Amino acid sequence: PLTIQGPGMTNLALDGNANGRHFAAYPGGAPPCPATSGPADFVVTLSGMTLMNGRTNQANTAGGSIFSVYSLVLDGVDLRNNAAAFGGAVAFHIQFPGQSLTIRDSLISGNEARTTVGADTFDRVGGAIVVWDHCATPRQPALVTVERTRMLQNRVKPGSRDGRGGAIG
């Protein structure tokens, strides 16, 4: 497990300056789908911080601020003005049995699922958050919980393809 605890969203701001993600948690060499052996799921917890202006700088990439294939807890996090082709702020990829995404006491605003570089070929999904089943079959259920969190002015800006889920896709 990994926990990064800041002093509060008004006391710590990480500005990505549109030069990449703030955090990425994924195994080197992804395990087979579903991941029932090899590396196991664990919980990544981020709290007490603002993550702003993160942006993916490759075509068809997800999670402008955070990309995780592990269970994720965001507690007291302000995610603002992040951008990616899908999951403008957060991309949560389901790969392990029993995974969960928990967001509480947070503010998620002004994030966009949009083309950030090059020619994206996938649909735009999840202006703020995308929950993506990494394994085509068998599907893995995941628990997504959002509590006491405001989502404001997040959007999907479709290009030549479809756009869905201004807040969550």
Side-chain angles (χ1 to χ4, degrees):
L2 172 68
T3 299
I4 300 175
Q5 183 175 359
M9 47 175 136
T10 59
N11 297 319
L12 174 65
L14 302 177
D15 190 333
N17 293 315
N19 286 318
R21 290 185 190 107
H22 297 95
F23 297 101
Y26 56 90
C33 286
T36 56
S37 63
D41 184 35
F42 58 85
V43 178
V44 175
T45 302
L46 302 174
S47 65
M49 64 186 72
T50 293
L51 303 174
M52 58 194 227
N53 302 320
R55 186 177 110 175
T56 57
N57 290 315
Q58 294 179 14
N60 295 321
T61 54
S65 179
I66 300 168
F67 178 89
S68 184
V69 300
Y70 297 108
S71 289
L72 180 63
V73 174
L74 302 176
D75 190 358
V77 175
D78 181 351
L79 290 159
R80 72 171 100 136
N81 302 325
N82 299 289
F86 36 96
V90 177
F92 176 63
H93 281 222
I94 303 163
Q95 184 159 344
F96 298 94
Q99 273 183 277
S100 63
L101 169 64
T102 303
I103 303 170
R104 65 178 160 260
D105 301 319
S106 295
L107 175 62
I108 303 171
S109 63
N111 301 289
E112 291 184 340
R114 64 178 170 86
T115 299
T116 56
V117 296
D120 289 323
T121 56
F122 297 128
D123 294 346
R124 301 294 135 253
V125 180
I129 300 165
V130 68
V131 178
W132 197 273
D133 192 347
H134 183 73
C135 302
T137 60
R139 300 245 184 236
Q140 294 298 305
L143 177 64
V144 177
T145 305
V146 180
E147 302 174 322
R148 299 175 307 276
T149 294
R150 294 180 60 188
M151 294 187 189
L152 306 167
Q153 299 174 338
N154 300 290
R155 62 185 170 183
V156 175
K157 295 180 87 175
S160 61
R161 308 248 338 166
D162 191 16
R164 298 182 304 274
I168 301 174

PDB file of all heavy atoms in Angstrom, residues 86-126:
ATOM      1  N   PHE A  86      -9.134  10.417 -22.332  1.00  0.00           N
ATOM      2  CA  PHE A  86     -10.243   9.940 -21.519  1.00  0.00           C
ATOM      3  C   PHE A  86      -9.808   9.935 -20.075  1.00  0.00           C
ATOM      4  O   PHE A  86      -8.659   9.730 -19.745  1.00  0.00           O
ATOM      5  CB  PHE A  86     -10.825   8.592 -21.958  1.00  0.00           C
ATOM      6  CG  PHE A  86      -9.849   7.587 -22.492  1.00  0.00           C
ATOM      7  CD1 PHE A  86      -9.328   6.614 -21.667  1.00  0.00           C
ATOM      8  CD2 PHE A  86      -9.451   7.604 -23.818  1.00  0.00           C
ATOM      9  CE1 PHE A  86      -8.439   5.674 -22.150  1.00  0.00           C
ATOM     10  CE2 PHE A  86      -8.550   6.666 -24.307  1.00  0.00           C
ATOM     11  CZ  PHE A  86      -8.048   5.707 -23.473  1.00  0.00           C
ATOM     12  N   GLY A  87     -10.795  10.242 -19.182  1.00  0.00           N
ATOM     13  CA  GLY A  87     -10.453  10.451 -17.777  1.00  0.00           C
ATOM     14  C   GLY A  87      -9.629  11.709 -17.630  1.00  0.00           C
ATOM     15  O   GLY A  87      -8.452  11.648 -17.297  1.00  0.00           O
ATOM     16  N   GLY A  88     -10.237  12.863 -17.877  1.00  0.00           N
ATOM     17  CA  GLY A  88      -9.513  14.131 -17.839  1.00  0.00           C
ATOM     18  C   GLY A  88      -8.668  14.299 -16.596  1.00  0.00           C
ATOM     19  O   GLY A  88      -7.534  14.756 -16.671  1.00  0.00           O
ATOM     20  N   ALA A  89      -9.194  13.911 -15.429  1.00  0.00           N
ATOM     21  CA  ALA A  89      -8.437  14.004 -14.174  1.00  0.00           C
ATOM     22  C   ALA A  89      -7.928  12.636 -13.726  1.00  0.00           C
ATOM     23  O   ALA A  89      -6.765  12.484 -13.384  1.00  0.00           O
ATOM     24  CB  ALA A  89      -9.284  14.621 -13.074  1.00  0.00           C
ATOM     25  N   VAL A  90      -8.819  11.626 -13.722  1.00  0.00           N
ATOM     26  CA  VAL A  90      -8.477  10.323 -13.158  1.00  0.00           C
ATOM     27  C   VAL A  90      -8.869   9.195 -14.110  1.00  0.00           C
ATOM     28  O   VAL A  90      -9.991   9.166 -14.603  1.00  0.00           O
ATOM     29  CB  VAL A  90      -9.194  10.089 -11.805  1.00  0.00           C
ATOM     30  CG1 VAL A  90      -8.907   8.702 -11.256  1.00  0.00           C
ATOM     31  CG2 VAL A  90      -8.807  11.154 -10.791  1.00  0.00           C
ATOM     32  N   ALA A  91      -7.946   8.275 -14.321  1.00  0.00           N
ATOM     33  CA  ALA A  91      -8.242   7.032 -15.034  1.00  0.00           C
ATOM     34  C   ALA A  91      -8.025   5.884 -14.062  1.00  0.00           C
ATOM     35  O   ALA A  91      -6.934   5.704 -13.527  1.00  0.00           O
ATOM     36  CB  ALA A  91      -7.337   6.870 -16.246  1.00  0.00           C
ATOM     37  N   PHE A  92      -9.093   5.131 -13.814  1.00  0.00           N
ATOM     38  CA  PHE A  92      -9.057   3.985 -12.906  1.00  0.00           C
ATOM     39  C   PHE A  92      -9.314   2.745 -13.745  1.00  0.00           C
ATOM     40  O   PHE A  92     -10.416   2.542 -14.245  1.00  0.00           O
ATOM     41  CB  PHE A  92     -10.116   4.150 -11.818  1.00  0.00           C
ATOM     42  CG  PHE A  92     -10.230   2.991 -10.876  1.00  0.00           C
ATOM     43  CD1 PHE A  92      -9.170   2.635 -10.070  1.00  0.00           C
ATOM     44  CD2 PHE A  92     -11.403   2.270 -10.797  1.00  0.00           C
ATOM     45  CE1 PHE A  92      -9.270   1.558  -9.191  1.00  0.00           C
ATOM     46  CE2 PHE A  92     -11.526   1.196  -9.923  1.00  0.00           C
ATOM     47  CZ  PHE A  92     -10.449   0.845  -9.119  1.00  0.00           C
ATOM     48  N   HIS A  93      -8.276   1.942 -13.941  1.00  0.00           N
ATOM     49  CA  HIS A  93      -8.386   0.738 -14.766  1.00  0.00           C
ATOM     50  C   HIS A  93      -8.584  -0.478 -13.871  1.00  0.00           C
ATOM     51  O   HIS A  93      -7.767  -0.743 -12.987  1.00  0.00           O
ATOM     52  CB  HIS A  93      -7.129   0.561 -15.621  1.00  0.00           C
ATOM     53  CG  HIS A  93      -7.127   1.438 -16.818  1.00  0.00           C
ATOM     54  ND1 HIS A  93      -6.713   1.010 -18.044  1.00  0.00           N
ATOM     55  CD2 HIS A  93      -7.530   2.719 -16.998  1.00  0.00           C
ATOM     56  CE1 HIS A  93      -6.828   1.989 -18.914  1.00  0.00           C
ATOM     57  NE2 HIS A  93      -7.313   3.030 -18.309  1.00  0.00           N
ATOM     58  N   ILE A  94      -9.643  -1.207 -14.126  1.00  0.00           N
ATOM     59  CA  ILE A  94      -9.973  -2.392 -13.336  1.00  0.00           C
ATOM     60  C   ILE A  94      -9.236  -3.583 -13.934  1.00  0.00           C
ATOM     61  O   ILE A  94      -9.414  -3.912 -15.100  1.00  0.00           O
ATOM     62  CB  ILE A  94     -11.486  -2.649 -13.353  1.00  0.00           C
ATOM     63  CG1 ILE A  94     -12.223  -1.406 -12.838  1.00  0.00           C
ATOM     64  CG2 ILE A  94     -11.829  -3.875 -12.522  1.00  0.00           C
ATOM     65  CD1 ILE A  94     -13.686  -1.403 -13.197  1.00  0.00           C
ATOM     66  N   GLN A  95      -8.412  -4.220 -13.115  1.00  0.00           N
ATOM     67  CA  GLN A  95      -7.675  -5.390 -13.577  1.00  0.00           C
ATOM     68  C   GLN A  95      -7.618  -6.483 -12.520  1.00  0.00           C
ATOM     69  O   GLN A  95      -7.471  -7.648 -12.840  1.00  0.00           O
ATOM     70  CB  GLN A  95      -6.256  -4.996 -13.990  1.00  0.00           C
ATOM     71  CG  GLN A  95      -5.484  -6.151 -14.574  1.00  0.00           C
ATOM     72  CD  GLN A  95      -4.317  -5.700 -15.427  1.00  0.00           C
ATOM     73  OE1 GLN A  95      -4.234  -4.562 -15.833  1.00  0.00           O
ATOM     74  NE2 GLN A  95      -3.421  -6.610 -15.704  1.00  0.00           N
ATOM     75  N   PHE A  96      -7.735  -6.124 -11.258  1.00  0.00           N
ATOM     76  CA  PHE A  96      -7.620  -7.087 -10.171  1.00  0.00           C
ATOM     77  C   PHE A  96      -8.988  -7.369  -9.561  1.00  0.00           C
ATOM     78  O   PHE A  96      -9.807  -6.458  -9.425  1.00  0.00           O
ATOM     79  CB  PHE A  96      -6.699  -6.540  -9.072  1.00  0.00           C
ATOM     80  CG  PHE A  96      -5.296  -6.286  -9.534  1.00  0.00           C
ATOM     81  CD1 PHE A  96      -4.905  -5.044  -9.980  1.00  0.00           C
ATOM     82  CD2 PHE A  96      -4.364  -7.311  -9.519  1.00  0.00           C
ATOM     83  CE1 PHE A  96      -3.608  -4.809 -10.407  1.00  0.00           C
ATOM     84  CE2 PHE A  96      -3.067  -7.090  -9.943  1.00  0.00           C
ATOM     85  CZ  PHE A  96      -2.690  -5.839 -10.385  1.00  0.00           C
ATOM     86  N   PRO A  97      -9.259  -8.595  -9.147  1.00  0.00           N
ATOM     87  CA  PRO A  97     -10.523  -8.897  -8.465  1.00  0.00           C
ATOM     88  C   PRO A  97     -10.659  -8.064  -7.185  1.00  0.00           C
ATOM     89  O   PRO A  97      -9.697  -7.903  -6.444  1.00  0.00           O
ATOM     90  CB  PRO A  97     -10.393 -10.387  -8.128  1.00  0.00           C
ATOM     91  CG  PRO A  97      -9.390 -10.928  -9.102  1.00  0.00           C
ATOM     92  CD  PRO A  97      -8.436  -9.799  -9.348  1.00  0.00           C
ATOM     93  N   GLY A  98     -11.849  -7.509  -6.965  1.00  0.00           N
ATOM     94  CA  GLY A  98     -12.134  -6.789  -5.725  1.00  0.00           C
ATOM     95  C   GLY A  98     -11.619  -5.363  -5.662  1.00  0.00           C
ATOM     96  O   GLY A  98     -11.566  -4.777  -4.582  1.00  0.00           O
ATOM     97  N   GLN A  99     -11.271  -4.765  -6.770  1.00  0.00           N
ATOM     98  CA  GLN A  99     -10.755  -3.399  -6.753  1.00  0.00           C
ATOM     99  C   GLN A  99     -11.820  -2.395  -6.354  1.00  0.00           C
ATOM    100  O   GLN A  99     -13.019  -2.628  -6.535  1.00  0.00           O
ATOM    101  CB  GLN A  99     -10.225  -3.006  -8.133  1.00  0.00           C
ATOM    102  CG  GLN A  99      -8.798  -3.403  -8.340  1.00  0.00           C
ATOM    103  CD  GLN A  99      -8.303  -2.937  -9.694  1.00  0.00           C
ATOM    104  OE1 GLN A  99      -8.540  -3.622 -10.672  1.00  0.00           O
ATOM    105  NE2 GLN A  99      -7.649  -1.802  -9.738  1.00  0.00           N
ATOM    106  N   SER A 100     -11.364  -1.226  -5.843  1.00  0.00           N
ATOM    107  CA  SER A 100     -12.300  -0.165  -5.485  1.00  0.00           C
ATOM    108  C   SER A 100     -11.691   1.207  -5.751  1.00  0.00           C
ATOM    109  O   SER A 100     -10.478   1.391  -5.671  1.00  0.00           O
ATOM    110  CB  SER A 100     -12.711  -0.276  -4.016  1.00  0.00           C
ATOM    111  OG  SER A 100     -11.578  -0.089  -3.180  1.00  0.00           O
ATOM    112  N   LEU A 101     -12.583   2.139  -6.073  1.00  0.00           N
ATOM    113  CA  LEU A 101     -12.253   3.548  -6.206  1.00  0.00           C
ATOM    114  C   LEU A 101     -13.129   4.292  -5.221  1.00  0.00           C
ATOM    115  O   LEU A 101     -14.358   4.172  -5.263  1.00  0.00           O
ATOM    116  CB  LEU A 101     -12.523   4.036  -7.638  1.00  0.00           C
ATOM    117  CG  LEU A 101     -12.480   5.548  -7.864  1.00  0.00           C
ATOM    118  CD1 LEU A 101     -11.088   6.108  -7.594  1.00  0.00           C
ATOM    119  CD2 LEU A 101     -12.935   5.889  -9.287  1.00  0.00           C
ATOM    120  N   THR A 102     -12.510   5.055  -4.307  1.00  0.00           N
ATOM    121  CA  THR A 102     -13.249   5.821  -3.310  1.00  0.00           C
ATOM    122  C   THR A 102     -12.810   7.272  -3.397  1.00  0.00           C
ATOM    123  O   THR A 102     -11.614   7.568  -3.337  1.00  0.00           O
ATOM    124  CB  THR A 102     -12.981   5.290  -1.887  1.00  0.00           C
ATOM    125  OG1 THR A 102     -13.334   3.904  -1.839  1.00  0.00           O
ATOM    126  CG2 THR A 102     -13.780   6.067  -0.853  1.00  0.00           C
ATOM    127  N   ILE A 103     -13.794   8.159  -3.533  1.00  0.00           N
ATOM    128  CA  ILE A 103     -13.528   9.593  -3.560  1.00  0.00           C
ATOM    129  C   ILE A 103     -14.420  10.231  -2.513  1.00  0.00           C
ATOM    130  O   ILE A 103     -15.639  10.074  -2.543  1.00  0.00           O
ATOM    131  CB  ILE A 103     -13.825  10.196  -4.945  1.00  0.00           C
ATOM    132  CG1 ILE A 103     -13.006   9.477  -6.020  1.00  0.00           C
ATOM    133  CG2 ILE A 103     -13.544  11.698  -4.944  1.00  0.00           C
ATOM    134  CD1 ILE A 103     -13.396   9.839  -7.434  1.00  0.00           C
ATOM    135  N   ARG A 104     -13.802  10.948  -1.569  1.00  0.00           N
ATOM    136  CA  ARG A 104     -14.617  11.593  -0.537  1.00  0.00           C
ATOM    137  C   ARG A 104     -14.035  12.955  -0.170  1.00  0.00           C
ATOM    138  O   ARG A 104     -12.830  13.180  -0.256  1.00  0.00           O
ATOM    139  CB  ARG A 104     -14.782  10.700   0.677  1.00  0.00           C
ATOM    140  CG  ARG A 104     -13.545  10.393   1.437  1.00  0.00           C
ATOM    141  CD  ARG A 104     -13.857   9.518   2.677  1.00  0.00           C
ATOM    142  NE  ARG A 104     -12.662   8.865   3.097  1.00  0.00           N
ATOM    143  CZ  ARG A 104     -12.317   7.620   2.833  1.00  0.00           C
ATOM    144  NH1 ARG A 104     -13.127   6.849   2.155  1.00  0.00           N
ATOM    145  NH2 ARG A 104     -11.177   7.132   3.253  1.00  0.00           N
ATOM    146  N   ASP A 105     -14.949  13.845   0.218  1.00  0.00           N
ATOM    147  CA  ASP A 105     -14.589  15.191   0.677  1.00  0.00           C
ATOM    148  C   ASP A 105     -13.645  15.889  -0.290  1.00  0.00           C
ATOM    149  O   ASP A 105     -12.649  16.502   0.106  1.00  0.00           O
ATOM    150  CB  ASP A 105     -13.968  15.125   2.083  1.00  0.00           C
ATOM    151  CG  ASP A 105     -14.912  14.519   3.099  1.00  0.00           C
ATOM    152  OD1 ASP A 105     -16.112  14.842   3.056  1.00  0.00           O
ATOM    153  OD2 ASP A 105     -14.471  13.700   3.928  1.00  0.00           O
ATOM    154  N   SER A 106     -13.949  15.794  -1.587  1.00  0.00           N
ATOM    155  CA  SER A 106     -13.073  16.339  -2.618  1.00  0.00           C
ATOM    156  C   SER A 106     -13.820  17.298  -3.531  1.00  0.00           C
ATOM    157  O   SER A 106     -15.037  17.395  -3.488  1.00  0.00           O
ATOM    158  CB  SER A 106     -12.467  15.191  -3.433  1.00  0.00           C
ATOM    159  OG  SER A 106     -11.616  14.400  -2.627  1.00  0.00           O
ATOM    160  N   LEU A 107     -13.062  18.014  -4.351  1.00  0.00           N
ATOM    161  CA  LEU A 107     -13.606  18.917  -5.349  1.00  0.00           C
ATOM    162  C   LEU A 107     -12.967  18.554  -6.680  1.00  0.00           C
ATOM    163  O   LEU A 107     -11.739  18.468  -6.783  1.00  0.00           O
ATOM    164  CB  LEU A 107     -13.284  20.373  -5.001  1.00  0.00           C
ATOM    165  CG  LEU A 107     -13.686  21.421  -6.031  1.00  0.00           C
ATOM    166  CD1 LEU A 107     -15.198  21.433  -6.254  1.00  0.00           C
ATOM    167  CD2 LEU A 107     -13.196  22.790  -5.587  1.00  0.00           C
ATOM    168  N   ILE A 108     -13.796  18.321  -7.697  1.00  0.00           N
ATOM    169  CA  ILE A 108     -13.307  17.917  -9.011  1.00  0.00           C
ATOM    170  C   ILE A 108     -13.929  18.872 -10.025  1.00  0.00           C
ATOM    171  O   ILE A 108     -15.121  18.796 -10.307  1.00  0.00           O
ATOM    172  CB  ILE A 108     -13.675  16.448  -9.295  1.00  0.00           C
ATOM    173  CG1 ILE A 108     -13.108  15.549  -8.185  1.00  0.00           C
ATOM    174  CG2 ILE A 108     -13.153  16.024 -10.655  1.00  0.00           C
ATOM    175  CD1 ILE A 108     -13.585  14.121  -8.231  1.00  0.00           C
ATOM    176  N   SER A 109     -13.106  19.792 -10.583  1.00  0.00           N
ATOM    177  CA  SER A 109     -13.684  20.840 -11.420  1.00  0.00           C
ATOM    178  C   SER A 109     -12.791  21.221 -12.602  1.00  0.00           C
ATOM    179  O   SER A 109     -11.568  21.178 -12.518  1.00  0.00           O
ATOM    180  CB  SER A 109     -13.958  22.090 -10.577  1.00  0.00           C
ATOM    181  OG  SER A 109     -12.749  22.621 -10.070  1.00  0.00           O
ATOM    182  N   GLY A 110     -13.456  21.579 -13.699  1.00  0.00           N
ATOM    183  CA  GLY A 110     -12.770  22.107 -14.864  1.00  0.00           C
ATOM    184  C   GLY A 110     -11.886  21.126 -15.610  1.00  0.00           C
ATOM    185  O   GLY A 110     -10.979  21.535 -16.333  1.00  0.00           O
ATOM    186  N   ASN A 111     -12.123  19.835 -15.460  1.00  0.00           N
ATOM    187  CA  ASN A 111     -11.326  18.815 -16.144  1.00  0.00           C
ATOM    188  C   ASN A 111     -11.966  18.479 -17.480  1.00  0.00           C
ATOM    189  O   ASN A 111     -13.175  18.613 -17.654  1.00  0.00           O
ATOM    190  CB  ASN A 111     -11.212  17.574 -15.267  1.00  0.00           C
ATOM    191  CG  ASN A 111     -10.571  17.895 -13.929  1.00  0.00           C
ATOM    192  OD1 ASN A 111      -9.385  18.156 -13.858  1.00  0.00           O
ATOM    193  ND2 ASN A 111     -11.381  17.902 -12.881  1.00  0.00           N
ATOM    194  N   GLU A 112     -11.147  18.021 -18.447  1.00  0.00           N
ATOM    195  CA  GLU A 112     -11.667  17.731 -19.775  1.00  0.00           C
ATOM    196  C   GLU A 112     -11.113  16.445 -20.352  1.00  0.00           C
ATOM    197  O   GLU A 112      -9.916  16.171 -20.242  1.00  0.00           O
ATOM    198  CB  GLU A 112     -11.285  18.847 -20.754  1.00  0.00           C
ATOM    199  CG  GLU A 112     -11.965  20.149 -20.516  1.00  0.00           C
ATOM    200  CD  GLU A 112     -11.600  21.167 -21.580  1.00  0.00           C
ATOM    201  OE1 GLU A 112     -10.577  21.020 -22.258  1.00  0.00           O
ATOM    202  OE2 GLU A 112     -12.386  22.116 -21.715  1.00  0.00           O
ATOM    203  N   ALA A 113     -12.015  15.686 -20.966  1.00  0.00           N
ATOM    204  CA  ALA A 113     -11.592  14.580 -21.829  1.00  0.00           C
ATOM    205  C   ALA A 113     -11.564  15.177 -23.227  1.00  0.00           C
ATOM    206  O   ALA A 113     -12.598  15.570 -23.769  1.00  0.00           O
ATOM    207  CB  ALA A 113     -12.572  13.417 -21.755  1.00  0.00           C
ATOM    208  N   ARG A 114     -10.368  15.297 -23.786  1.00  0.00           N
ATOM    209  CA  ARG A 114     -10.208  15.933 -25.092  1.00  0.00           C
ATOM    210  C   ARG A 114      -8.901  15.489 -25.715  1.00  0.00           C
ATOM    211  O   ARG A 114      -8.032  14.931 -25.048  1.00  0.00           O
ATOM    212  CB  ARG A 114     -10.238  17.440 -24.979  1.00  0.00           C
ATOM    213  CG  ARG A 114      -9.070  18.012 -24.171  1.00  0.00           C
ATOM    214  CD  ARG A 114      -9.138  19.537 -24.148  1.00  0.00           C
ATOM    215  NE  ARG A 114      -8.212  20.135 -23.230  1.00  0.00           N
ATOM    216  CZ  ARG A 114      -6.941  20.424 -23.522  1.00  0.00           C
ATOM    217  NH1 ARG A 114      -6.444  20.151 -24.698  1.00  0.00           N
ATOM    218  NH2 ARG A 114      -6.165  20.993 -22.622  1.00  0.00           N
ATOM    219  N   THR A 115      -8.770  15.764 -26.984  1.00  0.00           N
ATOM    220  CA  THR A 115      -7.513  15.494 -27.655  1.00  0.00           C
ATOM    221  C   THR A 115      -6.463  16.436 -27.085  1.00  0.00           C
ATOM    222  O   THR A 115      -6.677  17.646 -27.034  1.00  0.00           O
ATOM    223  CB  THR A 115      -7.655  15.697 -29.177  1.00  0.00           C
ATOM    224  OG1 THR A 115      -8.630  14.779 -29.653  1.00  0.00           O
ATOM    225  CG2 THR A 115      -6.342  15.475 -29.888  1.00  0.00           C
ATOM    226  N   THR A 116      -5.360  15.881 -26.613  1.00  0.00           N
ATOM    227  CA  THR A 116      -4.300  16.713 -26.049  1.00  0.00           C
ATOM    228  C   THR A 116      -3.118  16.846 -26.999  1.00  0.00           C
ATOM    229  O   THR A 116      -2.447  17.855 -27.001  1.00  0.00           O
ATOM    230  CB  THR A 116      -3.818  16.156 -24.694  1.00  0.00           C
ATOM    231  OG1 THR A 116      -3.399  14.804 -24.860  1.00  0.00           O
ATOM    232  CG2 THR A 116      -4.924  16.232 -23.659  1.00  0.00           C
ATOM    233  N   VAL A 117      -2.843  15.818 -27.780  1.00  0.00           N
ATOM    234  CA  VAL A 117      -1.792  15.861 -28.805  1.00  0.00           C
ATOM    235  C   VAL A 117      -2.162  14.907 -29.930  1.00  0.00           C
ATOM    236  O   VAL A 117      -2.914  13.961 -29.728  1.00  0.00           O
ATOM    237  CB  VAL A 117      -0.395  15.446 -28.263  1.00  0.00           C
ATOM    238  CG1 VAL A 117       0.098  16.416 -27.219  1.00  0.00           C
ATOM    239  CG2 VAL A 117      -0.419  14.040 -27.715  1.00  0.00           C
ATOM    240  N   GLY A 118      -1.621  15.128 -31.089  1.00  0.00           N
ATOM    241  CA  GLY A 118      -1.781  14.183 -32.188  1.00  0.00           C
ATOM    242  C   GLY A 118      -3.220  13.934 -32.577  1.00  0.00           C
ATOM    243  O   GLY A 118      -4.105  14.719 -32.299  1.00  0.00           O
ATOM    244  N   ALA A 119      -3.432  12.809 -33.184  1.00  0.00           N
ATOM    245  CA  ALA A 119      -4.748  12.419 -33.667  1.00  0.00           C
ATOM    246  C   ALA A 119      -5.251  11.239 -32.846  1.00  0.00           C
ATOM    247  O   ALA A 119      -4.869  10.099 -33.083  1.00  0.00           O
ATOM    248  CB  ALA A 119      -4.679  12.046 -35.138  1.00  0.00           C
ATOM    249  N   ASP A 120      -6.085  11.513 -31.847  1.00  0.00           N
ATOM    250  CA  ASP A 120      -6.674  10.448 -31.044  1.00  0.00           C
ATOM    251  C   ASP A 120      -7.668   9.665 -31.892  1.00  0.00           C
ATOM    252  O   ASP A 120      -8.416  10.240 -32.677  1.00  0.00           O
ATOM    253  CB  ASP A 120      -7.392  11.023 -29.825  1.00  0.00           C
ATOM    254  CG  ASP A 120      -6.434  11.579 -28.790  1.00  0.00           C
ATOM    255  OD1 ASP A 120      -5.355  10.985 -28.606  1.00  0.00           O
ATOM    256  OD2 ASP A 120      -6.770  12.596 -28.159  1.00  0.00           O
ATOM    257  N   THR A 121      -7.705   8.352 -31.689  1.00  0.00           N
ATOM    258  CA  THR A 121      -8.615   7.517 -32.463  1.00  0.00           C
ATOM    259  C   THR A 121      -9.725   6.906 -31.624  1.00  0.00           C
ATOM    260  O   THR A 121     -10.616   6.273 -32.171  1.00  0.00           O
ATOM    261  CB  THR A 121      -7.826   6.380 -33.151  1.00  0.00           C
ATOM    262  OG1 THR A 121      -7.118   5.647 -32.152  1.00  0.00           O
ATOM    263  CG2 THR A 121      -6.851   6.943 -34.170  1.00  0.00           C
ATOM    264  N   PHE A 122      -9.696   7.078 -30.302  1.00  0.00           N
ATOM    265  CA  PHE A 122     -10.729   6.523 -29.437  1.00  0.00           C
ATOM    266  C   PHE A 122     -11.761   7.587 -29.091  1.00  0.00           C
ATOM    267  O   PHE A 122     -11.506   8.788 -29.222  1.00  0.00           O
ATOM    268  CB  PHE A 122     -10.118   5.988 -28.135  1.00  0.00           C
ATOM    269  CG  PHE A 122      -9.156   4.859 -28.341  1.00  0.00           C
ATOM    270  CD1 PHE A 122      -7.885   4.907 -27.795  1.00  0.00           C
ATOM    271  CD2 PHE A 122      -9.490   3.741 -29.074  1.00  0.00           C
ATOM    272  CE1 PHE A 122      -6.988   3.863 -27.968  1.00  0.00           C
ATOM    273  CE2 PHE A 122      -8.611   2.693 -29.266  1.00  0.00           C
ATOM    274  CZ  PHE A 122      -7.351   2.763 -28.701  1.00  0.00           C
ATOM    275  N   ASP A 123     -12.929   7.141 -28.601  1.00  0.00           N
ATOM    276  CA  ASP A 123     -13.957   8.060 -28.132  1.00  0.00           C
ATOM    277  C   ASP A 123     -13.451   8.822 -26.913  1.00  0.00           C
ATOM    278  O   ASP A 123     -12.631   8.322 -26.142  1.00  0.00           O
ATOM    279  CB  ASP A 123     -15.218   7.292 -27.716  1.00  0.00           C
ATOM    280  CG  ASP A 123     -15.901   6.603 -28.878  1.00  0.00           C
ATOM    281  OD1 ASP A 123     -15.577   6.918 -30.031  1.00  0.00           O
ATOM    282  OD2 ASP A 123     -16.756   5.742 -28.615  1.00  0.00           O
ATOM    283  N   ARG A 124     -13.950  10.029 -26.715  1.00  0.00           N
ATOM    284  CA  ARG A 124     -13.673  10.814 -25.506  1.00  0.00           C
ATOM    285  C   ARG A 124     -14.662  10.348 -24.447  1.00  0.00           C
ATOM    286  O   ARG A 124     -15.865  10.369 -24.678  1.00  0.00           O
ATOM    287  CB  ARG A 124     -13.890  12.308 -25.739  1.00  0.00           C
ATOM    288  CG  ARG A 124     -13.090  12.950 -26.806  1.00  0.00           C
ATOM    289  CD  ARG A 124     -11.596  12.983 -26.499  1.00  0.00           C
ATOM    290  NE  ARG A 124     -10.941  12.575 -27.716  1.00  0.00           N
ATOM    291  CZ  ARG A 124     -10.346  11.385 -27.912  1.00  0.00           C
ATOM    292  NH1 ARG A 124     -10.237  10.527 -26.965  1.00  0.00           N
ATOM    293  NH2 ARG A 124      -9.814  11.067 -29.045  1.00  0.00           N
ATOM    294  N   VAL A 125     -14.173   9.956 -23.284  1.00  0.00           N
ATOM    295  CA  VAL A 125     -15.035   9.435 -22.218  1.00  0.00           C
ATOM    296  C   VAL A 125     -14.548   9.960 -20.875  1.00  0.00           C
ATOM    297  O   VAL A 125     -13.352   9.940 -20.598  1.00  0.00           O
ATOM    298  CB  VAL A 125     -15.024   7.885 -22.193  1.00  0.00           C
ATOM    299  CG1 VAL A 125     -15.919   7.363 -21.079  1.00  0.00           C
ATOM    300  CG2 VAL A 125     -15.454   7.310 -23.532  1.00  0.00           C
ATOM    301  N   GLY A 126     -15.472  10.408 -20.028  1.00  0.00           N
ATOM    302  CA  GLY A 126     -15.154  10.800 -18.657  1.00  0.00           C
ATOM    303  C   GLY A 126     -14.389  12.100 -18.556  1.00  0.00           C
ATOM    304  O   GLY A 126     -13.171  12.087 -18.429  1.00  0.00           O
TER     305      GLY A 126
END
